[in-house]
Amino acid sequence: TNIGYLLGRLFAVLEKIQTEATPGLNATIRDRFYGAASSTPVTVFGNLMRLNNHHLSKLEKEKPGLSIVRKQLLGQIICPVKDFPPHLALADQGRFAIGYYHQTQDLWTKK
């Protein structure tokens, strides 16, 4: 339920959706936004959520089933989030990293 942890998970899912919608990218959102997302989320997540709509619509056309699964996962993660905070404390930045890597590992684990 920690905001840093949840935002880390959200960031991992947004990155995964981006790479699934546009395979072979040279730079993902992680390369460009990880630092800002983990320290000043309000400056990044609005833009990332807007970009995510584009990636999801592309994914819907190419892989509709996967699109539904990703939307459900996004909903589960973001449901407890009330607002994107202006800053994350150092401890929450660590939790962001933990959430990011936990979610990344889960996305790569075969079900």
Side-chain angles (χ1 to χ4, degrees):
T1 60
N2 176 272
I3 188 67
Y5 186 81
L6 290 172
L7 293 179
R9 289 185 62 208
L10 176 62
F11 192 82
V13 173
L14 294 174
E15 180 186 33
K16 182 69 171 169
I17 292 169
Q18 179 193 31
T19 58
E20 289 169 338
T22 315
L25 285 174
N26 289 334
T28 66
I29 62 170
R30 178 180 175 202
D31 301 316
R32 301 178 81 194
F33 298 109
Y34 184 91
S38 66
S39 59
T40 56
V42 75
T43 63
V44 174
F45 274 97
N47 186 38
L48 292 179
M49 296 303 287
R50 187 174 55 252
L51 288 172
N52 184 58
N53 288 332
H54 169 72
H55 296 138
L56 277 173
S57 67
K58 187 173 181 185
L59 201 58
E60 280 177 19
K61 294 173 188 163
E62 297 170 5
K63 300 174 183 176
L66 182 58
S67 172
I68 291 169
V69 169
R70 295 295 180 242
K71 284 179 184 178
Q72 289 173 336
L73 182 56
L74 281 172
Q76 290 170 0
I77 294 169
I78 207 162
C79 190
V81 176
K82 302 295 180 222
D83 204 359
F84 296 120
H87 300 282
L88 288 179
L90 192 57
D92 287 332
Q93 291 178 36
R95 290 180 188 103
F96 181 97
I98 292 169
Y100 173 81
Y101 286 105
H102 280 178
Q103 189 64 54
T104 299
Q105 183 63 39
D106 184 67
L107 289 167
W108 289 105
T109 303
K110 291 194 178 204
K111 306 290 188 265

